[in-house]
Amino acid sequence: MGLFTRNKSNKKPIIKQILELIPNSILQSSIAKHKSDKFCSKYKTYDQLVSQMFGQLNKCLTLSDISTAIAVNTTFIGDLGLQQSPARSTMSDGNAKRSWKVFETMYYKLLSHYSNLLLRHGKAMDIEEIKGKVIKIIDSTTISLCLSLFEWAKFRTAKGGIKIHTCLDHALMLPDLVNIGEAAVHDKRGHPQTVFAPGTIIVEDKGYFDFSLMMQRINADNVFVTRIKDNTVYESICEKELPVDKDQHILKDELIRLTGKKAIEVGIDQVTLRRIVVYDSEKDVQLEIITQELRWAASTIAALYKARWDVEIFFKQLKQNLLVKTFTGTSENAVKSQIYIALITYLLLELIKRCIAKGAQAFSNLCEKIRFCLTYYHSLDYVCNQIKEGAVKARGKPNKPNCQKSFNF
């Protein structure tokens, strides 16, 4: 691949090595598309990307933190590719005025650029019966905001918030469709894309249980797998026989027909559906899954719904390791810019984790190593694979403290 140096030392700090994983062609084409450097003489798109990514990786909670940390060393500023360290007020103006869409475009271009490499080094679990099929996992996460500071993000009477609606590509284990909207918008209306290429499998939680949406997926030759709502009216057509010697977690597998008023209005009452009851031993609950797919084994349908947990893991890792709950700007543009730069950072960290980190390393541990070494001039290989927990001996003889020395303040 030629992206990573295998020596301990490097002439560039870790943060710069990560930034260089973004091809210049992607950076320039994104800037050109949105004209994001127009009328900007100093704080350009690249400067904002550098400062915000530094803030993400170093967990800087304020713009002042970012400005101070970058300005510590003049050589470091130059090695980042900056002419000067960004001032707090300059960063604030950039967050408010530069369109967040340039970073959205950058994220999708990066995902496309590295998709083959990410797939080759991915660890998504294959489900044998549907191996090779495209699986999309759809879900959302809510981020609470202070309504007095984020007036545009109205949620409830005295509470603000936004939702990150996400479509996770199961093979890539990364989002290939993201929509950031108001928290008050229902999940099923939060995604701009409701159907996909024929043959695509869509896995969702019951927040997306909607008859019209189901009919759209059926007409588009998409397979949906979701939870059935408790108050759904249906009649059982027949119950399928369960295997005796395997798949003991499958409690029921039956064909049903929806008979409720709304189902009749939409026309889905004419479609034979399948209801599978699965026992989740980890949570000690029974899950009722519904799909229009009648041929696959019930265990395959259950495994598909279980794969929905992957998007929950993504949200957890994003929130715990990057800054998407605390924002350095209060405008809608600033919030969306920060989230998309967090997604760019997450993608690059995943690239490093899959392509250079050896062995099974937790995502959080990798993030901590990089954070500790962000301004060090080590190679990514050394940081990922050589730095380990435990005592390390000092090189040479340590300087003993002079207890008799006094200090005058």
Side-chain angles (χ1 to χ4, degrees):
M1 183 178 170
L3 290 175
F4 306 111
T5 304
R6 301 295 174 185
N7 301 320
K8 175 181 176 179
S9 300
N10 196 288
K11 293 181 179 179
K12 300 170 185 175
I14 287 293
I15 174 66
K16 178 61 173 176
Q17 294 173 58
I18 296 173
L19 283 161
E20 286 186 342
L21 295 176
I22 303 174
N24 189 56
S25 59
I26 288 178
L27 177 66
Q28 296 305 323
S29 63
S30 302
I31 292 170
K33 180 178 179 180
H34 298 283
K35 299 179 180 178
S36 57
D37 278 350
K38 193 174 182 180
F39 307 121
C40 296
S41 58
K42 292 183 178 179
Y43 193 63
K44 296 183 179 293
T45 305
Y46 175 77
D47 299 56
Q48 184 173 350
L49 181 65
V50 171
S51 60
Q52 285 292 307
M53 275 189 64
F54 182 89
Q56 289 286 340
L57 292 166
N58 207 29
K59 290 192 173 181
C60 297
L61 299 179
T62 66
L63 294 176
S64 295
D65 291 344
I66 297 172
S67 179
T68 303
I70 293 177
V72 165
N73 185 283
T74 54
T75 301
F76 179 67
I77 296 169
D79 288 342
L80 286 177
L82 303 176
Q83 293 183 351
Q84 63 181 44
S85 62
R88 183 194 61 79
S89 57
T90 307
M91 286 189 285
S92 179
D93 289 342
N95 287 344
K97 296 176 182 178
R98 179 171 287 112
S99 174
W100 57 271
K101 287 184 175 294
V102 65
F103 301 112
E104 177 193 41
T105 298
M106 207 177 297
Y107 172 76
Y108 289 129
K109 284 179 178 289
L110 276 171
L111 186 66
S112 175
H113 179 78
Y114 284 119
S115 60
N116 289 334
L117 192 62
L118 290 164
L119 284 170
R120 193 158 63 245
H121 294 274
K123 295 181 179 178
M125 187 174 293
D126 285 326
I127 303 171
E128 191 59 36
E129 188 175 10
I130 53 173
K131 192 173 182 179
K133 289 187 177 292
V134 177
I135 303 171
K136 304 289 185 183
I137 306 172
I138 293 177
D139 205 350
S140 70
T141 187
T142 301
I143 296 172
S144 298
L145 299 172
C146 177
L147 192 57
S148 61
L149 294 175
F150 302 84
E151 296 179 355
W152 52 272
K154 293 181 179 179
F155 183 21
R156 298 193 176 101
T157 304
K159 188 177 180 181
I162 57 171
K163 271 185 183 178
I164 305 178
H165 300 275
T166 303
C167 175
L168 190 85
D169 185 282
H170 184 252
L172 285 170
M173 297 294 284
L174 286 164
D176 62 354
L177 183 63
V178 176
N179 182 45
I180 305 167
E182 297 175 6
V185 176
H186 196 278
D187 285 351
K188 63 188 178 185
R189 297 184 180 89
H191 280 275
Q193 187 172 342
T194 56
V195 297
F196 298 86
T200 301
I201 303 167
I202 304 169
V203 184
E204 304 163 313
D205 199 3
K206 63 181 176 182
Y208 299 87
F209 185 87
D210 180 82
F211 298 144
S212 298
L213 198 56
M214 288 177 178
M215 281 304 297
Q216 288 180 43
R217 269 81 185 265
I218 291 170
N219 293 332
D221 193 22
N222 294 162
V223 176
F224 65 83
V225 176
T226 187
R227 292 261 303 278
I228 191 170
K229 285 189 175 179
D230 298 334
N231 61 351
T232 303
V233 182
Y234 66 90
E235 63 178 17
S236 179
I237 299 173
C238 68
E239 191 168 334
K240 302 181 77 172
E241 191 172 339
L242 299 177
V244 178
D245 55 346
K246 62 177 182 177
D247 301 334
Q248 297 302 304
H249 61 300
I250 306 296
L251 305 181
K252 180 175 282 191
D253 183 3
E254 64 176 343
L255 302 183
I256 65 169
R257 182 178 291 112
L258 300 175
T259 57
K261 182 180 177 181
K262 289 185 178 179
I264 295 171
E265 289 175 356
V266 172
I268 200 170
D269 63 311
Q270 302 299 313
V271 181
T272 300
L273 301 175
R274 192 174 176 189
R275 174 179 171 268
I276 298 170
V277 182
V278 181
Y279 175 67
D280 185 344
S281 58
E282 293 180 6
K283 297 182 179 179
D284 191 26
V285 294
Q286 292 184 16
L287 304 175
E288 296 182 45
I289 304 170
I290 188 170
T291 179
Q292 90 274 31
E293 175 53 58
L294 310 181
R295 300 163 298 170
W296 300 338
S299 58
T300 297
I301 304 297
L304 272 170
Y305 189 78
K306 187 177 181 179
R308 200 191 66 81
W309 182 246
D310 291 336
V311 75
E312 300 289 352
I313 293 173
F314 163 74
F315 287 141
K316 182 179 178 181
Q317 291 183 161
L318 184 71
K319 288 181 173 182
Q320 287 183 349
N321 298 286
L322 296 170
L323 298 177
V324 293
K325 294 192 294 182
T326 303
F327 296 95
T328 55
T330 57
S331 68
E332 182 177 2
N333 192 76
V335 168
K336 289 185 176 182
S337 294
Q338 185 170 324
I339 290 174
Y340 274 107
I341 290 175
L343 288 171
I344 290 170
T345 308
Y346 185 96
L347 188 158
L348 297 178
L349 289 171
E350 269 294 315
L351 181 68
I352 293 168
K353 181 176 181 292
R354 297 184 198 185
C355 298
I356 188 170
K358 298 173 184 175
Q361 293 194 30
F363 185 82
S364 58
N365 290 345
L366 176 68
C367 290
E368 286 297 284
K369 287 181 183 180
I370 288 176
R371 181 166 67 89
F372 296 147
C373 301
L374 200 60
T375 59
Y376 283 66
Y377 287 69
H378 292 320
S379 69
L380 282 166
D381 175 72
Y382 174 77
V383 172
C384 292
N385 301 314
Q386 301 302 316
I387 296 178
K388 301 183 185 299
E389 182 182 355
V392 178
K393 289 185 178 181
R395 178 180 293 179
K397 294 182 179 180
N399 294 322
K400 294 182 179 180
N402 186 353
C403 298
Q404 296 180 346
K405 188 175 182 180
S406 61
F407 296 90
N408 297 317
F409 294 98

